[in-house]
Amino acid sequence: MADYAALKKGGFMRQKQKNYFSMRLKVVGGQVTAKQLAKVSEIADRYGHGYVHLTSRQGIEIPFIHLDDIDEVKAEMAKGDVESGTCGPRVRTVTACQGRNICPSGCIDTTALAEKISDHYFGRELPHKFKFGVTGCQNNCLKTEENDIGVKGGIEVAWKEDACIRCGLCEKVCRSNAISISDGRISIDKTKCNYCGRCVKSCPTDAYEENPGYIVSFGGTFGNYIYKGEELVPIIHDEETLFRVMDAAISFFDKYANAGERFRKTIERVGIELLKQQVEEAYHG
């Protein structure tokens, strides 16, 4: 008798066709090597129907894996450094855009951060599924606020007067109208700044000090119930604080959630003030 719960935990989701499964693979931050792709293609041809499905969360699924072939498929996957993903009430695969290593707009190394988040949380058992998303800048390609925890890259800036030639380019490129120039001096309205970093990236004389960081949102969801995640703490500038804050949020969910209840529903039932208190305590160390 097949242990369907164990199979689901290991990334094998039952299809409507009897004894067939769609195998979900572990893809962290949307990064897949050529070696892994070759093995995925081989498995899809040999054990599936010769195609794969690309999921909405940067994942790869191989449909039509027969129950009798699962152990053999797992052994073949290992030869190509391919790991299975996971389903059910646990932390899912971490999504990410390409970040500053590739994208001119990127403010943080999204790939490295996604890998660290995955190493720290992937597969952790929780009352319901839990999703992380990482995006490199305010362009928000990964729509971080749709995730239970979303991390968005940002840059906090400070003007360096001596290096500035007063060309006005930073004022022109600032989409939030946070920068103004008066009597040869630049002012930054911190209440308007969204940490996009466009001023830094456009400045021809490096007249801005930059301090990259993480803008974190909590409690987003996008499905049967849609809610935009909320920012509960200021921009974070170090990974130690970031992980303390994320630990606090997951611990809150693990402690207060009912079985089968998403993070957002737990927040609404228990109260966001308690979550905010615990996240702020973690933020301050």
Side-chain angles (χ1 to χ4, degrees):
M1 182 69 179
D3 186 342
Y4 292 111
L7 287 169
K8 186 175 183 179
K9 181 178 180 180
F12 289 87
M13 300 173 292
R14 293 173 72 177
Q15 296 182 196
K16 61 188 296 184
Q17 295 83 5
K18 185 177 181 181
N19 290 331
Y20 281 96
F21 295 79
S22 187
M23 178 178 63
R24 177 173 294 172
L25 306 180
K26 182 181 180 183
V27 178
V28 180
Q31 300 289 322
V32 185
T33 67
K35 178 181 178 181
Q36 290 171 325
L37 283 175
K39 179 55 68 174
V40 169
S41 175
E42 178 187 330
I43 291 173
D45 274 334
R46 184 175 174 185
Y47 299 98
H49 281 190
Y51 74 94
V52 301
H53 172 70
L54 302 180
T55 76
S56 60
R57 287 187 59 80
Q58 300 182 322
I60 297 174
E61 292 176 5
I62 306 177
F64 290 99
I65 303 297
H66 195 275
L67 177 63
D68 295 340
D69 294 329
I70 286 178
D71 288 339
E72 190 172 338
V73 166
K74 288 180 179 179
E76 284 298 318
M77 286 167 52
K79 296 177 183 178
D81 299 332
V82 179
E83 297 180 54
S84 60
T86 191
C87 308
R90 49 194 60 89
V91 176
R92 304 293 184 83
T93 296
V94 181
T95 61
C97 69
Q98 297 202 73
R100 73 179 181 197
N101 291 339
I102 300 293
C103 178
S105 299
C107 300
I108 59 171
D109 186 343
T110 54
T111 300
L113 181 59
E115 290 174 350
K116 290 175 183 177
I117 293 174
S118 182
D119 289 344
H120 198 67
Y121 298 112
F122 177 73
R124 175 171 170 173
E125 301 287 335
L126 290 169
H128 204 343
K129 61 184 174 184
F130 200 94
K131 299 177 180 179
F132 286 89
V134 182
T135 204
C137 69
Q138 286 291 344
N139 290 337
N140 204 9
C141 296
L142 258 292
K143 304 175 181 64
T144 53
E145 289 88 357
E146 294 179 2
N147 293 267
D148 297 285
I149 293 181
V151 182
K152 184 186 300 178
I155 297 177
E156 196 165 20
V157 300
W159 180 49
K160 295 189 293 186
E161 182 176 0
D162 292 343
C164 182
I165 59 174
R166 281 74 173 175
C167 66
L169 185 57
C170 58
E171 184 181 29
K172 292 178 182 177
V173 301
C174 181
R175 292 174 174 172
S176 58
N177 298 316
I179 295 177
S180 59
I181 302 176
S182 178
D183 296 327
R185 293 191 58 81
I186 288 178
S187 298
I188 303 172
D189 187 339
K190 297 294 186 179
T191 65
K192 293 182 179 179
C193 179
N194 66 355
Y195 310 110
C196 69
R198 288 172 61 84
C199 54
V200 172
K201 297 175 188 298
S202 67
C203 182
T205 61
D206 296 325
Y208 283 96
E209 293 179 359
E210 56 180 295
N211 189 7
Y214 313 103
I215 303 163
V216 188
S217 58
F218 303 86
T221 182
F222 201 87
N224 291 315
Y225 182 71
I226 298 174
Y227 196 94
K228 181 182 177 182
E230 300 173 76
E231 296 173 22
L232 302 179
V233 291
I235 187 171
I236 297 170
H237 292 291
D238 64 281
E239 286 188 1
E240 181 180 352
T241 302
L242 174 64
F243 277 88
R244 277 203 317 269
V245 163
M246 294 190 297
D247 282 344
I250 282 191
S251 295
F252 173 92
F253 180 52
D254 202 12
K255 179 177 180 180
Y256 293 106
N258 296 323
E261 182 178 63
R262 288 297 298 272
F263 187 33
R264 164 50 46 187
K265 290 294 187 180
T266 304
I267 293 170
E268 291 177 350
R269 179 174 52 80
V270 176
I272 195 167
E273 288 306 315
L274 180 58
L275 173 64
K276 185 176 182 181
Q277 176 189 333
Q278 295 185 5
V279 167
E280 286 180 342
E281 288 175 356
Y283 175 83
H284 293 293

